[in-house]
Structure formats: C-alpha cells, structure tokens
Amino acid sequence: MATRYTIGSGLVITALALTLIALLIPVDSFGSRPAAAVAGPAGDDDGGGTLSTAYGPLTAADRDFIRKVRLAGLWELPAGRQAQQRGSKPAIKTAGQHLVDGHTELDRQAIQVGQALGVDLPNQPSAQQQDWLGQMNRARGEEYERLFVQLLRRAHGKVFSLLAGIRAQTKNSMVRALASSANATVLDHITVLEDTGLVDFDALSDNVQPTK
C-alpha cells in the first residue's frame, strides 16, 4: 500500500509540475510565426527552408522575393522624388511620379505580406542601390536625366524574369498576389521610362545586376 501511495503521489506531483511549466511558457511561443516544415532545400536568402503558413508553403525564394520588393521601394522611391524635383523634361517628372505612386503602394503591400508571413524586411537600400543613388546625386543636367532613366530602366528589365518565376512557381497565395501587383507596377514603370526617349537599349544588356 505504501508503495502504491508513493507511486501515486509521484505521478500527481509530476503532472502538476508539467502543468505549471506549460502555464509559464508564453502564449507567443505558439503560432506567432509559421511553423517550419522539412519540405525541400533551403533557399539562397536565409537558409530557412520551406515554412508552412495559413496562405500556403513559403519557400526561401518566396521570402527572397518579398525582401527584394521592399528593397526596390527603398531606392526607387527617393529616385522618383528626386526626378520630380530635378527633371527638366515633363516626361522625366512623369516617370518620377509613377515611381513614387507605384512603389508607395507596392511597399505597403510588401510590408503587409512580410508581417503576415513573419518575414524580416530590410529598412535601407543595399550597397549597390546606395551607389546608384549616389551616382544620380552627383550627376547634373542632361547627364542626370539620362542616368536616372538608364539605371531605372535596366533595374526594371532585370526583375521581369524574377517576377515570372515567382508568379509561376509559388504556392503561397499572398506571395502570388504580391507578384501580380509587382508585375503590373514594373510594366508601368518600364513604359513611362521608355516614353522619355532616353533609354539606350544597346547598353541594357550588361553585367550590372540590380538588387530588386
């Protein structure tokens, strides 16, 4: 009887201890971020593999795309504002306005998607993007306008293949919607930049790899 009583008491104490531990663990530890799932190799951006979310699987490529949309706004918004202020031609000012309008909305969407999916987003342009902004800051007159158009047109052209791949392959509905919005925005920006008449199409195919 004593042995049974001792065993019973031990089980009760163990159960109470486990209950207390469960109560002490913050609720935020459960369900606040997508749960990791072993579903394929990690991507190039963060090595986090594929995550399970309420909106579908979130791959490393998906996360990389969301971050690049955010990065695009971090340098194209100031570039657009600068073009509105410094452009001497109406077409340059128009292109600047489209950049500001398009990336203001796209940036809002990227932040919303990042928060919903638990993706950490950058808060400043990449080193390469800062270099582009620096080049435009130093340029003057017609040189500035040509540089503005060429840098932005080249960047938007490079991003098309990325958009197509993400839109076609992602299984996450929020990423898919962001890719659709980004595609429409990029096409609009390419159009207004080309409307300036300053795009040097022969110089677009080079080794510069914009981070977008």
Side-chain angles (χ1 to χ4, degrees):
M1 291 294 293
T3 301
R4 290 181 180 179
Y5 177 82
T6 300
I7 294 173
S9 298
L11 291 174
V12 171
I13 292 172
T14 300
L16 288 173
L18 291 173
T19 301
L20 179 60
I21 291 171
L23 290 173
L24 290 175
I25 297 175
V27 175
D28 290 343
S29 298
F30 302 95
S32 60
R33 296 176 70 90
V38 181
D44 295 332
D45 63 327
D46 57 13
T50 299
L51 305 178
S52 175
T53 80
Y55 305 94
L58 183 73
T59 67
D62 292 335
R63 293 191 297 277
D64 184 54
F65 167 70
I66 298 168
R67 293 186 180 109
K68 285 181 176 176
V69 172
R70 170 66 170 159
L71 276 172
L74 290 174
W75 85 280
E76 292 184 29
L77 273 169
R81 295 189 187 103
Q82 185 183 70
Q84 289 178 288
Q85 296 170 359
R86 296 181 57 187
S88 62
K89 301 179 179 65
I92 296 294
K93 293 182 179 292
T94 296
Q97 183 64 59
H98 278 244
L99 286 173
V100 171
D101 292 344
H103 281 288
T104 295
E105 174 58 21
L106 204 56
D107 198 51
R108 182 194 66 78
Q109 293 181 39
I111 292 173
Q112 182 181 48
V113 171
Q115 290 175 342
L117 298 178
V119 179
D120 295 328
L121 299 178
N123 290 313
Q124 64 179 10
S126 68
Q128 187 177 56
Q129 291 169 336
Q130 292 178 41
D131 178 65
W132 292 337
L133 290 171
Q135 290 181 47
M136 288 188 286
N137 287 336
R138 293 186 295 271
R140 295 292 181 269
E142 186 174 330
E143 178 193 3
Y144 162 75
E145 294 185 340
R146 290 187 178 279
L147 184 62
F148 162 77
V149 170
Q150 198 68 10
L151 285 174
L152 271 299
R153 172 59 180 82
R154 183 165 50 203
H156 284 81
K158 297 284 185 180
V159 80
F160 257 141
S161 58
L162 171 65
L163 282 171
I166 291 295
R167 182 62 181 82
Q169 297 176 18
T170 185
K171 298 179 181 180
N172 188 284
S173 60
M174 293 198 79
V175 174
R176 194 158 51 245
L178 180 62
S180 294
S181 295
N183 187 68
T185 300
V186 168
L187 181 58
D188 172 71
H189 292 175
I190 285 177
T191 301
V192 294
L193 288 165
E194 292 176 349
D195 285 346
T196 65
L198 298 178
V199 176
D200 181 355
F201 289 95
D202 292 333
L204 292 179
S205 299
D206 57 19
N207 294 323
V208 176
Q209 296 294 326
T211 306
K212 283 197 59 169

